[in-house]
């Protein structure tokens, strides 16, 4: 379909006629000489004397060419364009950051698989998180892993396959043996600073208490709440464990409560799978739909035609004038 971007420009088409009506050609009076033998001179020259003013006329071709060129230029100014079929694009309305604990305690094989076998905590987490990530197609996600320090594996991206592949390559202890829970929240806050989306979700999974952060998890959660970040915390592991490997459920609950999120505890793989299903219910994938029609400008077509028409007319009139001049010279 072809349409005009500025159809009101076509109102300029009668502008030359309006200018000619408001500003007619100037008339000049000139002195003349009277010859008593004027009639004899005209007879000798073979001319026929006529009374009245002399008005120089333009060739009809030049008038028609000028009118067509003006119409084509006005049409080009009206921005003709080819409008394509509607294209619909879905963009994420929520950004999600996954913060996964890979400290030394995640190597414990106390996670019960559905078949009754025991799996490594991190291996069970990877299996469940992989399905969760795949189910949020269209969202933008980032991946943070943390141990003694927090590291950004992927910034916010809609390439969920890369997020899954990098998570599969993580191993226990790659970020150190301790748990920097507060630093992971702080890194997530900095990650969200590049986001222009208001709805921000952090899913924080840990099996241990904070032992290495420079900022306490509670203070980090309060800052996250001020920045509009909602935190869902998931505790894994044996809550009866003591020492550095103990699961600090109270801290995880406080983090979620301060940001308006939710806290979950998963003691086996089936429970962890149910936790992520519940998160999908509480924070369903949200998208914004954008629809537009691609437009391709065609203004160059009338402009090119006007240029070609003007050059062709100029060449024809110039050639005709030369041929007439040569014919008069040969007649003399």
């Amino acid at each position: 379909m072809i349409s005009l971007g500025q159809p009101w420009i076509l109102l300029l088409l009668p502008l030359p006629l309006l200018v000619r009506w408001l500003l007619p050609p100037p008339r000049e009076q000139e002195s003349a000489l009277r010859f008593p033998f004027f009639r004899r001179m005209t007879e000798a020259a073979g001319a026929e004397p006529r009374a009245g003013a002399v008005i120089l006329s333009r060739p009809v071709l030049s008038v028609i060419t000028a009118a067509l060129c003006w119409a084509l230029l006005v049409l080009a100014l009206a921005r003709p364009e080819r409008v394509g079929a509607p294209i619909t694009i879905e963009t994420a309305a929520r950004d999600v950051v996954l913060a996964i604990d890979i400290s030394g305690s995640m190597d414990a094989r106390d996670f019960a698989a559905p078949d009754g076998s025991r799996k490594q905590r991190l291996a069970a987490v990877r299996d469940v998180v992989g399905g969760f990530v795949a189910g949020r197609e269209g969202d933008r996600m980032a991946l943070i892993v943390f141990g003694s320090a927090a590291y950004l594996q992927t910034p916010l991206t809609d390439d969920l396959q890369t997020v899954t592949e990098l998570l599969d390559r993580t191993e226990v202890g790659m970020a150190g043996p301790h748990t920097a829970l507060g630093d992971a929240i702080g890194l997530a806050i900095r990650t969200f600073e590049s986001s222009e989306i208001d709805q921000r979700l952090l899913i924080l999974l840990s099996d241990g208490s904070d032992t290495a952060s420079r900022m306490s998890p509670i203070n980090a959660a309060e800052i996250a709440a001020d920045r509009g970040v909602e935190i869902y915390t998931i505790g894994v592991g044996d809550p009866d464990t003591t020492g550095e490997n103990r699961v600090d459920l109270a801290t995880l609950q406080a983090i979620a409560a301060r940001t308006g999120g939710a806290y979950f505890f998963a003691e086996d793989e089936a429970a962890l799978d149910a936790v992520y299903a519940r998160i999908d219910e509480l924070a369903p994938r949200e998208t914004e739909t954008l629809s537009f029609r691609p437009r391709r400008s065609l203004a160059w077509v009338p402009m090119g035609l006007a240029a070609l028409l003007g050059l062709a007319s100029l060449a024809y009139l110039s050639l005709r004038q030369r041929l007439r001049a040569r014919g008069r010279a040969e007649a003399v």
Side-chain angles (χ1 to χ4, degrees):
M1 183 178 67
I2 297 178
S3 64
L4 298 177
Q6 296 178 329
W8 60 269
I9 294 290
L10 297 180
L11 297 175
L12 297 178
L13 283 173
L15 182 61
L17 296 177
L18 182 62
V19 171
R20 182 177 178 84
W21 178 61
L22 296 176
L23 300 174
R27 299 175 179 271
E28 298 180 359
Q29 293 184 353
E30 297 183 358
S31 301
L33 296 177
R34 295 174 63 95
F35 291 92
F37 47 87
F38 178 74
R39 187 172 298 278
R40 295 181 181 179
M41 291 178 61
T42 58
E43 292 176 354
E48 181 181 356
R50 291 179 297 177
V54 176
I55 300 177
L56 298 178
S57 61
R58 295 180 179 179
V60 176
L61 178 61
S62 64
V63 175
I64 296 175
T65 301
L68 290 176
C69 288
W70 171 254
L72 290 171
L73 290 177
V74 171
L75 180 60
L77 291 175
R79 288 174 46 198
E81 51 193 13
R82 184 184 300 276
V83 182
I87 296 178
T88 302
I89 298 177
E90 287 189 353
T91 60
R94 185 198 301 270
D95 283 340
V96 180
V97 173
L98 286 173
I100 307 297
D101 186 352
I102 59 170
S103 60
S105 58
M106 290 293 287
D107 193 37
R109 295 182 177 274
D110 58 358
F111 232 71
D115 59 0
S117 62
R118 292 289 175 174
K119 297 181 64 174
Q120 183 196 52
R121 292 178 182 177
L122 182 59
V125 168
R126 282 199 301 249
D127 292 342
V128 176
V129 171
F132 174 78
V133 172
R136 301 189 75 89
E137 186 68 32
D139 280 354
R140 291 202 315 168
M141 302 192 74
L143 175 64
I144 292 175
V145 295
F146 63 96
S148 299
Y151 300 95
L152 180 65
Q153 293 293 91
T154 61
L156 289 168
T157 177
D158 54 6
D159 185 1
L160 303 185
Q161 182 178 356
T162 299
V163 175
T164 304
E165 290 177 356
L166 289 175
L167 179 61
D168 291 339
R169 294 179 183 178
T170 58
E171 298 294 340
V172 173
M174 289 178 60
H178 304 295
T179 305
L181 198 59
D183 290 351
I185 298 174
L187 181 56
I189 294 172
R190 290 195 297 273
T191 302
F192 281 123
E193 289 179 353
S194 63
S195 172
E196 298 180 355
I197 297 177
D198 295 332
Q199 295 179 324
R200 304 169 179 182
L201 174 64
L202 168 61
I203 299 176
L204 179 66
L205 187 146
S206 177
D207 72 339
S209 60
D210 186 90
T211 57
S213 291
R214 291 169 293 181
M215 175 184 296
S216 72
I218 302 302
N219 290 340
E222 291 176 349
I223 296 174
D226 292 338
R227 304 291 177 84
V229 179
E230 188 178 359
I231 302 179
Y232 285 46
T233 57
I234 303 173
V236 296
D238 186 356
D240 297 328
T241 305
T242 59
E244 290 187 356
N245 292 335
R246 69 184 179 90
V247 181
D248 190 353
L249 303 183
T251 299
L252 295 177
Q253 291 172 353
I255 291 172
R258 277 172 166 75
T259 61
Y263 159 77
F264 303 94
F265 178 74
E267 56 186 354
D268 54 35
E269 188 173 352
L272 183 59
D273 196 14
V275 165
Y276 278 103
R278 178 59 177 161
I279 291 176
D280 264 330
E281 295 176 2
L282 296 176
R285 186 174 70 90
E286 298 186 12
T287 60
E288 293 179 350
T289 302
L290 302 177
S291 180
F292 71 98
R293 289 177 176 266
R295 298 176 180 271
R296 181 183 178 186
S297 177
L298 299 176
W300 61 273
V301 175
M303 292 183 68
L305 289 176
L308 291 175
L309 188 60
L311 291 175
S313 176
L314 182 62
Y316 172 76
L317 293 175
S318 178
L319 179 61
R320 189 179 69 170
Q321 185 177 3
R322 290 184 180 181
L323 291 177
R324 286 183 177 180
R326 182 181 298 178
R328 287 194 297 267
E330 292 177 354
V332 173

